[in-house]
Amino acid sequence: MRRTVWPAVAAAVALVLGGCSEGDGGCGEDDRPEPTRSAGARLPVAVGARSQPPEISGKAIEAALPPRKARPSLMDQAMRHLMSDTLTMAGAIGDIRPGACEKAVVEEGEGATHRCTVFYEGLEVVWKVRFSDVDASGGWTTASYRAWPVKGVLRAETVYAAYAWAHPEKDLAPRCDRMPEIFRAEAGKATGYECQILLGECSDGAWRLKWVNQPVWIGGEGRVEFGDPEPVS
């Protein structure tokens, strides 16, 4: 469902940090070792830390869209919403163009669910769109609107920035796979790329470190998510 804020993208992970009391030797943060091979495989890209969520301003998105029509049809309005949502999903301004819906959008009545496309940097992005309570009686067509992605698009820098913002703690050392600059992603399914954090447990005076990997995917709100994918419907 379309929203205007970046959702929490961190999957729930149980952290066991500093499992010893202050009196136990070897359990202080200064004693925490660098990860070795025993911690697991380290992904190649260190994403650093980020104090602000990665997002594009509404002003920048509006400037990237085609000029508004004087009297837009419901289809025109749908395309504008979807282009805006696609830019937000990609996390970067790029060439954005309207596509089409597989069937005509009614101008009055209960409406229906449509499969609609737009194009970002030449890649087709597919959305499902549901209109209801369509009303043109006032000379201006209005409707309740809901959209969710089917096939989306992600950029590597957007994924890295989102993961860095979700895990700002320095000791978690967030990292990710090396990803293409821009790539397609099917909503609700793992992309095949992962990001990871370093978890630490200290017991009996000794630290144990482990890399924990989280799949990268697109959720029902059209944003990058991390962790076990959930079906989008």
Side-chain angles (χ1 to χ4, degrees), residues 129-211:
V129 181
R130 173 69 184 176
F131 291 102
S132 58
D133 303 321
V134 183
D135 183 10
S137 60
W140 184 270
T141 303
T142 62
S144 298
Y145 165 91
R146 179 187 177 218
W148 58 101
V150 178
K151 293 182 180 179
V153 63
L154 289 173
R155 301 189 71 114
E157 290 303 321
T158 301
V159 177
Y160 299 156
Y163 201 67
W165 176 67
H167 301 289
E169 300 90 342
K170 183 178 179 180
D171 58 359
L172 293 181
R175 306 183 70 89
C176 292
D177 277 323
R178 196 173 305 281
M179 304 175 197
E181 179 182 357
I182 182 171
F183 58 98
R184 297 286 302 276
E186 189 170 352
K189 295 185 178 181
T191 60
Y193 298 108
E194 295 182 323
C195 292
Q196 65 182 185
I197 51 176
L198 183 65
L199 301 189
E201 177 183 9
C202 190
S203 62
D204 298 327
W207 279 101
R208 293 175 179 82
L209 303 179
K210 180 180 180 182
W211 289 107

Side-chain angles (χ1 to χ4, degrees), residues 111-134:
T113 299
H114 303 263
R115 188 181 175 96
C116 302
T117 61
V118 295
F119 293 89
Y120 177 81
E121 292 293 326
L123 298 177
E124 185 182 60
V125 179
V126 183
W127 296 82
K128 281 187 178 180
V129 181
R130 173 69 184 176
F131 291 102
S132 58
D133 303 321
V134 183

Side-chain angles (χ1 to χ4, degrees), residues 78-100:
M79 284 295 126
R80 196 168 191 85
H81 275 299
L82 295 180
M83 287 188 288
S84 175
D85 289 346
T86 298
L87 289 174
T88 299
M89 175 193 294
I93 298 299
D95 181 58
I96 188 75
R97 300 178 185 274

